[in-house]
Amino acid sequence: MKSQLRTLSKENAEGVAQHLVMVAELLDVEPEAALAHAETAVRRAGRVPAAREALGLVAYRLGDWARALGEFRTVRRLSGSNHLIPLMVDCERALGRHDKALELAQSPEVEGLAIDDKVELAIVVSGIRRDLGQLDAAVAGLSDIVKRINPNRPSAARIYYAYADAQLAAGHLEVARDWFSRAVDADHELTTDAAERLDELDGVDLTDLLEGEEETTPLEDVSEDEDSDEDSDEDSDDTEDEFAEDAADEAADDQDEDDSDEDDSDDEDSDDSTTDGR
């Protein structure tokens, strides 16, 4: 990129470089903001391939396939590089032009692509075959490169995953499971959901397991709650008995006082009659 920016004035080159850095930082998190930086870079350096490629990548991420394809074509014309062919083929596919996509994918320039670019192209072409209902062809298009790729290459996990997915679509469950497993082993950066797909094939539903844990109450807790309820009931019964005894005692005390009052009254009446007799 530095060599491309040398065609600009020093001040302009520094400004364009800053915009391109912002595109790289924002592309995955704020593509709309990345688009503004890319468009500014293109306005300031329209004949710099790096600026046009940045704009094409942002448009591709936003699903603006026609604009992305136009920018990629411009990059290819300005730089003479074919490394964007896989993305160009994918744009043609997204626009529904499957014949043009396959024609471009079979062009002589493809032979000169780097191995990782060839992997991406094979994945796109396999997807096109599946779009067309050619499930066996989708598998066949990946079968050679998937066996030659070094498992330690960054693109290995993606090609293993695509191959497993194509095998699954063709109804080859056991083969698909094997390659999803290989994708898991190769996916050190966790760029695919191969582990989840493997769990699905094995019948593991993590959501149901978690829901089951939330709904199930441990037997010990139930037992403790029941014991607590029983103790509470016993305490309640004891309290009621105590209240009953206290009430009985109070009633007895009241009766004794009444009896005592009657005795005093009888004594007073007796004294009165004696006095009267005198």
Side-chain angles (χ1 to χ4, degrees):
M1 184 176 70
K2 289 182 179 180
S3 61
Q4 296 177 17
L5 294 177
R6 289 196 184 102
T7 61
L8 307 174
S9 67
K10 182 179 180 181
E11 181 181 356
N12 194 28
E14 290 177 352
V16 171
Q18 291 174 355
H19 283 295
L20 295 180
V21 168
M22 292 304 299
V23 171
E25 291 184 357
L26 296 171
L27 182 60
D28 293 330
V29 292
E30 295 183 50
E32 293 289 349
L35 178 62
H37 284 285
E39 289 175 336
T40 301
V42 168
R43 283 197 298 270
R44 299 179 61 170
R47 295 192 61 80
V48 173
R52 305 304 290 262
E53 182 173 345
L55 180 54
L57 289 174
V58 176
Y60 181 85
R61 180 60 58 87
L62 291 172
D64 190 348
W65 313 115
R67 186 177 191 182
L69 181 59
E71 293 299 328
F72 294 154
R73 285 173 175 167
T74 300
V75 173
R76 190 182 183 193
R77 185 179 68 253
L78 291 173
S79 66
S81 173
N82 296 307
H83 70 284
L84 292 173
I85 285 181
L87 294 181
M88 294 171 67
V89 172
D90 202 25
C91 288
E92 295 282 14
R93 173 195 179 190
L95 292 169
R97 301 195 291 246
H98 293 86
D99 290 340
K100 295 189 70 171
L102 291 174
E103 182 181 350
L104 178 59
Q106 296 167 359
S107 61
E109 292 83 0
V110 170
E111 294 300 321
L113 294 178
I115 183 63
D116 291 330
D117 293 330
K118 287 184 177 180
V119 165
E120 293 302 320
L121 181 59
I123 293 173
V124 174
V125 171
S126 178
I128 294 173
R129 295 298 184 187
R130 288 177 61 180
D131 292 346
L132 297 174
Q134 302 169 2
L135 301 183
D136 291 337
V139 172
L142 298 172
S143 59
D144 181 50
I145 193 170
V146 77
K147 295 171 183 175
R148 292 190 293 109
I149 191 75
N150 188 323
N152 295 319
R153 293 195 70 87
S155 57
R158 284 181 51 75
I159 192 70
Y160 291 167
Y161 182 96
Y163 189 60
D165 205 26
Q167 291 282 8
L168 185 61
H172 309 146
L173 301 184
E174 290 302 320
V175 179
R177 189 196 179 286
D178 177 47
W179 285 97
F180 275 128
S181 179
R182 298 191 193 195
V184 171
D185 294 337
D187 193 4
H188 305 298
E189 301 298 325
L190 301 179
T191 57
T192 72
D193 63 345
E196 288 79 1
R197 298 293 299 277
L198 190 60
D199 286 340
E200 289 177 4
L201 290 179
D202 290 340
V204 177
D205 192 336
L206 297 179
T207 302
D208 289 345
L209 289 177
L210 292 175
E211 289 179 354
E213 289 181 1
E214 293 176 356
E215 294 174 358
T216 302
T217 303
L219 293 179
E220 293 181 359
D221 294 345
V222 173
S223 178
E224 290 178 0
D225 290 343
E226 291 177 350
D227 292 342
S228 176
D229 292 341
E230 291 178 359
D231 292 342
S232 177
D233 292 341
E234 291 178 359
D235 292 341
S236 177
D237 292 341
D238 292 342
T239 303
E240 291 177 358
D241 292 342
E242 291 177 359
F243 279 127
E245 291 177 359
D246 291 343
D249 292 341
E250 290 178 359
D253 291 341
D254 292 341
Q255 182 64 41
D256 291 341
E257 290 178 0
D258 292 341
D259 293 342
S260 176
D261 291 342
E262 290 179 358
D263 292 341
D264 292 342
S265 176
D266 292 341
D267 291 342
E268 290 177 358
D269 292 341
S270 175
D271 290 342
D272 292 342
S273 64
T274 303
T275 303
D276 293 339
R278 286 178 186 173

